[in-house]
Amino acid sequence: MNTAVHKFGGSSLSSAARYHAVANIIISHCQAGDSVVVSAAGKTTNTLVKLWLCYQQNDSQGTLDVIKLLKNHQVELISELLIDELQETALQKLNDELELIATLAQQQELVEAQLLAHGEVWSARLLAQYLTQLEHKANAFDARDLLLLSGGQLQHEKNQKSCQVLNSEQFNVVTGFIAKNESGETVTLGRNGSDYSATLIARYCNAQSVTIWTDTQGVYSTDPRKVKQAIKYAKVCREQANLLARLGNPVLHAKTLTPLKDTNIKLVVRSSFDSHSACTEIVKKGNAKQKHFLTTLDNHDLVKIEQLIEGEVGELSQLIQHTLHHFELDSETYLLIPAAYTHIVINHLSGRANLVESNLFGLGIVCPNDIAHQLTQQAAKILQKYNINIRFAFSQKDMPGNEYGLVLCEQAFDTDLLTILHEELISDSQELAVVVAGLGNVGATFITQLEKQLVRLNYLLPVKLVGLVRSENMLFCSDGIKIHNWLEQWQTSAIAYDNKSLIAALEQLDYEHKVVIDITASEDFSLLYPDFAAQDCHLISANKYAGTAHTTWYNALKEKLYERNLKWRYNTSVGAGLPINFALNDLQYSGDKIERLLGVFSGTLSWLCCEYDGSVPFSELLLKAKDMGYTEPDPREDLSGRDVQRKLLILARELGLTLDLDDISLTPMMPADLAQGDWLSFLEKRDKLDAFMSDKLIQAKKEDLVLRYVAELNLQQDKLVAKVALSAVKKDEPLAGLKAGDNIFVINSLWYQDNALVIQGPGAGQEVTAAGIHSDLYWLTHSLIK
Ligand code: ASP
Ligand code: MG
């Protein structure tokens, strides 16, 4: 059977609400037979360490205080999560254990590892009971019954057998961090060792995958809490991940990867706080391109070692429960040690270790082959410029095909400096993957124009067309689709898809940035935007549905995009290529206040109103427009005015107004009852339409006015006016001077009060629309390098 291992760290289990979230993840992502490895809740291990220190210092009051702290936290979790008998027994058991700890402390019989193990035992027990209470079969396992170390070595064969107790009919909740030795004593796998427990168990159970659920969404180019521009990578190869761990990346720990060596077990780093977001997959060499990373080390000592024995660094790491990095420089071996542990290491190596430098701060640069040297030099230069004294700066080969640089300095660098380093060293390495959905006239023109446009874009950032999507088929080519014969590739290689496989294809793209360009007219497709955002895709839409969706949905999407630092551009959803969104934004940036926005937003209705002079019945003109392809397949869709209403809503939202479609009054350009029935029944009643329009025209002519189908947003009055209707306008107004088929936008603002700002021109057509989408793509690319 295919099983999976899921690991939840301390921060994922810090409160009752977090347990609840974790239980939901387990219920939705795990199957019976899967193992769930847990760390101690929140900072419990730190508290237990504190308890141990008090005990060692014979601080009996301190010991009791810390026990109380532990008790409060656990009692709170238990009382909030469990009910009735389960709660009662859990509290009783906890009480017994804490009393025993107090007694052992009093009798001077506490054992460190045994004490620390409580954190994980409590988590596993509580989570299993909580799942049981939710009516899911679950059982807690103590990893001391599964993982045996003899002489410090894991006993793989025995452990594999022991792991057979993990039951295929339930969720197996296993304690991380702990194991036992040949004498049956508790041992720990090192601080943050639960990830290691998870990969070990995965190996012993022959699991398919291990998911490390944590508090970040994956592995980033640098710490995303410090550098906002940090790039989340979809894939990182194991070798780079291993190196990163040794150089201080807090997400993955060096030992985590060892059990996966020579296996096909998939390792995923994912956020338990946002289980729908895209994650990072740690893959075998060759299955991901080499990425760029910056890591930092604080307060480390540099120690020179004579005659380092094989496996000794591992032993030392175990001793101080901390990952260590060692390197050779000028035929000498050095070890970088967190300053707090240096004395332990020097003692242990009795006479073979010499302290060379103390309290150093470091910058690790992990990067593709052949550029480590150059990047290290560059980093050193930048640091010097900011008055950081450098003690060592060198680049190295870590193992075949894996390079890194290390700069060791006297001072710590703050987040601003890290941001600068990231911008200078990492930003250039990014690529943007483009996925185009909708391959009709505009889509095809967009792709044709892309060939030339790439020259301009690549100057900013390498951009590649990697995916094409139509209503039923898709084509993804992660290395890039050749633009000159895209159609041929589409015809020979596109495959059928459903939403799930489309999202999976986006997830698979190993690019720093991705964008989905929606040139479809499909509402269903627009409903996938939140899923695209969850896959870290920027959005460009010519499609109007998402931009005019209900406020709740729309705001949730905007928020999701904002949280992920993703952009959404939709320049062509109103006025095709005309720069109306730009103008509105730019005016607002300049401190202007828009007071009124007026215009003709539909090319079809613009043409009909301009051409209609009463010489032929209106319906005849309508059929002519239909024949020329100026209208929707059913022209009543145009006459309904709904499209204009959507466009006005998009612009209103651009002005910061919270409106929905219903807030914009809409009067169609036809009698209401003509909207009913099929096209043929409409044709039978066309006289009604002709009479309706002719009345309007006669009335207008009488007053020397002309007919226009007008959208209006007026913010001047106390009450906002937002309406779309057929109007009669004065002949000297900008709206009257419109060329048939053109769009026009008339803006009155503080700066443009009496003399309006007018934007006019073709508001449809494949060339201008495709070019407008290129403008969006250009500005998106531009914003990514900032
Ligand atoms: N609870 C242990 C620690 O805090 C193990 C872990 O979190 O992985 O180090
Ligand atoms: Mg932890």
Side-chain angles (χ1 to χ4, degrees):
M1 197 184 99
N2 290 330
T3 59
V5 175
H6 294 259
K7 182 257 165 177
F8 294 91
S11 59
S12 298
L13 296 166
S14 57
S15 63
R18 296 300 314 145
Y19 268 84
H20 182 70
V22 165
N24 278 341
I25 293 176
I26 294 172
I27 293 163
S28 56
H29 288 81
C30 303
Q31 307 173 19
D34 285 357
S35 295
V36 175
V37 174
V38 289
S39 304
K43 298 254 177 268
T44 301
T45 309
N46 287 356
T47 318
L48 287 162
V49 169
K50 207 157 150 200
L51 174 53
W52 175 250
L53 292 177
C54 288
Y55 165 75
Q56 275 189 314
Q57 289 157 2
N58 284 322
D59 175 359
S60 38
Q61 188 52 49
T63 308
L64 290 176
D65 288 348
V66 181
I67 292 180
K68 206 164 173 197
L69 219 69
L70 288 164
K71 182 171 178 174
N72 289 345
H73 184 214
Q74 288 303 315
V75 167
E76 189 182 318
L77 292 175
I78 294 171
S79 339
E80 281 189 40
L81 290 165
L82 302 180
I83 50 170
D84 304 338
E85 222 183 296
L86 274 181
Q87 187 192 92
E88 235 165 77
T89 16
L91 288 174
Q92 187 55 48
K93 202 156 189 178
L94 175 75
N95 232 5
D96 295 348
E97 285 161 337
L98 290 169
E99 265 174 28
L100 184 62
I101 293 175
T103 315
L104 289 174
Q106 220 171 23
Q107 297 170 346
Q108 297 289 310
E109 281 174 12
L110 267 190
V111 180
E112 186 182 9
Q114 214 173 330
L115 175 67
L116 299 188
H118 280 98
E120 272 64 19
V121 171
W122 291 332
S123 299
R125 209 162 62 198
L126 180 54
L127 183 60
Q129 282 168 344
Y130 184 51
L131 285 165
T132 310
Q133 186 176 281
L134 296 174
E135 294 183 358
H136 290 272
K137 277 194 184 162
N139 216 346
F141 288 85
D142 189 319
R144 286 172 288 198
D145 300 328
L146 306 175
L147 307 179
L148 172 68
L149 274 98
S150 191
Q153 300 297 317
L154 282 153
Q155 301 301 296
H156 296 312
E157 266 174 45
K158 280 197 181 141
N159 295 347
Q160 194 158 358
K161 277 214 187 94
S162 308
C163 282
Q164 284 171 2
V165 297
L166 297 175
N167 192 309
S168 63
E169 268 130 57
Q170 62 187 23
F171 297 133
N172 302 294
V173 186
V174 185
T175 58
F177 185 50
I178 54 175
K180 76 167 176 220
N181 66 15
E182 60 278 23
S183 321
E185 293 156 342
T186 305
V187 284
T188 68
L189 301 177
R191 287 309 305 268
N192 300 307
S194 302
D195 293 357
Y196 185 35
S197 310
T199 49
L200 279 171
I201 286 165
R203 179 166 190 139
Y204 295 146
C205 296
N206 217 349
Q208 249 190 344
S209 65
V210 182
T211 306
I212 310 277
W213 294 89
T214 176
D215 52 2
T216 60
Q217 287 179 9
V219 181
Y220 286 74
S221 54
T222 195
D223 190 340
R225 285 162 299 194
K226 294 183 182 159
V227 179
K228 198 174 152 258
Q229 295 81 353
I231 308 159
K232 181 168 78 186
Y233 293 125
K235 291 182 187 188
V236 174
C237 69
R238 287 183 187 172
E239 290 70 17
Q240 280 200 318
N242 194 302
L243 181 55
L244 274 178
R246 277 182 283 133
L247 290 176
N249 180 305
V251 180
L252 276 175
H253 303 281
K255 281 190 293 185
T256 309
L257 292 157
T258 14
L260 305 184
K261 211 168 161 221
D262 306 322
T263 73
N264 286 320
I265 303 170
K266 184 166 131 177
L267 177 65
V268 176
V269 179
R270 199 162 175 176
S271 164
S272 72
F273 291 75
D274 189 358
S275 59
H276 298 293
S277 67
C279 49
T280 299
E281 202 182 316
I282 313 295
V283 297
K284 275 184 159 177
K285 199 171 173 175
N287 293 337
K289 59 178 187 177
Q290 288 187 305
K291 304 292 181 338
H292 290 63
F293 303 89
L294 288 184
T295 62
T296 52
L297 293 168
D298 284 343
N299 247 320
H300 276 58
D301 291 342
L302 189 64
V303 169
K304 199 192 283 183
I305 306 187
E306 279 161 33
Q307 293 150 2
L308 184 76
I309 303 162
E310 212 193 302
E312 205 165 28
V313 176
E315 258 171 50
L316 290 170
S317 299
Q318 176 69 21
L319 180 72
I320 63 166
Q321 305 240 323
H322 215 289
T323 315
L324 288 174
H325 181 63
H326 76 284
F327 56 90
E328 305 257 324
L329 202 62
D330 302 330
S331 318
E332 302 278 6
T333 307
Y334 294 89
L335 200 55
L336 262 174
I337 312 167
Y341 303 109
T342 308
H343 64 285
I344 305 179
V345 173
I346 292 188
N347 276 348
H348 187 84
L349 291 172
S350 50
R352 284 193 292 131
N354 280 310
L355 182 64
V356 184
E357 298 261 359
S358 49
N359 291 336
L360 293 177
F361 295 83
L363 178 76
I365 306 164
V366 175
C367 58
N369 293 342
D370 303 327
I371 56 168
H373 176 72
Q374 175 212 324
L375 292 184
T376 311
Q377 299 292 318
Q378 218 177 319
K381 250 197 202 149
I382 296 168
L383 291 170
Q384 269 159 348
K385 196 169 129 197
Y386 287 89
N387 299 324
I388 303 279
N389 293 332
I390 295 173
R391 308 298 304 165
F392 288 82
F394 57 89
S395 58
Q396 293 237 327
K397 278 218 181 326
D398 175 54
M399 51 179 79
N402 215 10
E403 282 188 29
Y404 73 99
L406 198 57
V407 187
L408 298 173
C409 324
E410 285 176 8
Q411 296 96 342
F413 15 91
D414 57 16
T415 48
D416 288 348
L417 190 46
L418 192 61
T419 306
I420 293 171
L421 287 161
H422 188 268
E423 194 177 318
E424 296 288 328
L425 306 177
I426 307 284
S427 295
D428 273 359
S429 67
Q430 310 170 63
E431 286 183 299
L432 171 65
V434 174
V435 175
V436 178
L439 304 175
N441 290 337
V442 177
T445 310
F446 173 82
I447 298 169
T448 314
Q449 291 174 352
L450 183 62
E451 192 157 22
K452 265 203 191 141
Q453 211 31 37
L454 278 183
V455 180
R456 182 168 286 118
L457 294 172
N458 286 341
Y459 180 71
L460 300 171
L461 194 79
V463 174
K464 268 188 203 152
L465 176 68
V466 298
L468 299 173
V469 184
R470 242 193 143 147
S471 40
E472 270 150 25
N473 292 331
M474 68 174 186
L475 169 70
F476 273 80
C477 184
S478 59
D479 295 337
I481 293 166
K482 299 211 174 41
I483 296 179
H484 68 273
N485 69 350
W486 69 270
L487 193 57
E488 212 178 299
Q489 289 171 74
W490 170 262
Q491 281 156 352
T492 53
S493 313
I495 53 165
Y497 77 95
D498 57 14
N499 291 346
K500 211 170 142 205
S501 54
L502 172 63
I503 303 299
L506 290 171
E507 188 177 2
Q508 279 303 308
L509 292 174
D510 186 14
Y511 282 81
E512 289 75 15
H513 305 286
K514 314 174 200 180
V515 58
V516 174
I517 303 184
D518 176 9
I519 318 180
T520 73
S522 152
E523 183 166 13
D524 284 347
F525 192 79
S526 75
L527 292 175
L528 295 173
Y529 284 13
D531 297 312
F532 298 156
Q535 294 311 320
D536 288 319
C537 294
H538 299 280
L539 299 170
I540 290 179
S541 21
N543 183 336
K544 284 180 278 288
Y545 283 106
T548 56
H550 192 272
T551 300
T552 328
W553 188 93
Y554 173 82
N555 284 347
L557 173 65
K558 290 272 259 198
E559 200 167 309
K560 195 162 190 167
L561 292 165
Y562 179 76
E563 275 168 11
R564 290 172 167 72
N565 215 357
L566 295 167
K567 306 278 183 304
W568 181 17
R569 304 194 66 93
Y570 38 83
N571 165 38
T572 55
S573 57
V574 186
L578 296 177
I580 175 64
N581 302 47
F582 278 95
L584 293 182
N585 283 315
D586 223 45
L587 287 175
Q588 293 180 93
Y589 295 148
S590 72
D592 202 353
K593 201 173 162 300
I594 315 287
E595 294 172 340
R596 192 170 81 133
L597 173 66
L598 195 72
V600 171
F601 300 175
S602 154
T604 315
L605 301 184
S606 158
W607 189 87
L608 287 168
C609 288
C610 290
E611 292 291 310
Y612 180 52
D613 58 4
S615 59
V616 293
F618 183 77
S619 60
E620 202 166 297
L621 207 59
L622 186 68
L623 292 175
K624 187 173 162 196
K626 179 173 159 49
D627 285 346
M628 290 189 301
Y630 286 4
T631 68
E632 292 296 320
D634 183 340
R636 284 177 299 171
E637 188 53 42
D638 296 292
L639 298 180
S640 76
R642 276 193 291 263
D643 185 59
V644 177
Q645 188 190 31
R646 285 192 187 277
K647 287 173 176 164
L648 188 63
L649 178 58
I650 291 174
L651 296 183
R653 285 179 171 172
E654 206 68 359
L655 296 180
L657 299 172
T658 310
L659 291 186
D660 272 306
L661 277 175
D662 293 346
D663 299 319
I664 298 176
S665 95
L666 172 67
T667 318
M669 202 166 99
M670 63 181 163
D673 57 326
L674 288 189
Q676 261 78 55
D678 61 12
W679 177 239
L680 284 178
S681 69
F682 163 77
L683 282 183
E684 279 164 20
K685 291 181 276 184
R686 56 195 269 192
D687 289 354
K688 262 189 161 179
L689 176 65
D690 293 338
F692 172 89
M693 285 303 287
S694 137
D695 276 358
K696 303 269 180 203
L697 186 67
I698 291 167
Q699 189 59 34
K701 275 187 171 166
K702 242 191 234 161
E703 295 168 41
D704 202 25
L705 302 172
V706 295
L707 292 180
R708 294 291 180 262
Y709 194 72
V710 179
E712 181 183 359
L713 196 65
N714 198 328
L715 299 121
Q716 280 163 315
Q717 277 97 355
D718 293 345
K719 203 175 167 303
L720 173 98
V721 176
K723 64 175 187 196
V724 172
L726 186 65
S727 296
V729 301
K730 285 203 200 115
K731 285 188 173 157
D732 59 353
E733 273 189 43
L735 292 187
L738 192 66
K739 204 174 137 214
D742 274 5
N743 278 15
I744 185 166
F745 302 89
V746 181
I747 303 165
N748 286 100
S749 67
L750 283 182
W751 310 153
Y752 298 90
Q753 217 154 49
D754 306 326
N755 199 359
L757 171 67
V758 178
I759 297 173
Q760 179 179 349
Q766 60 198 61
E767 293 280 336
V768 287
T769 310
I773 300 168
H774 273 294
S775 159
D776 278 340
L777 181 59
Y778 175 84
W779 286 111
L780 168 68
T781 313
H782 194 266
S783 70
L784 297 179
I785 57 164
K786 284 282 132 208

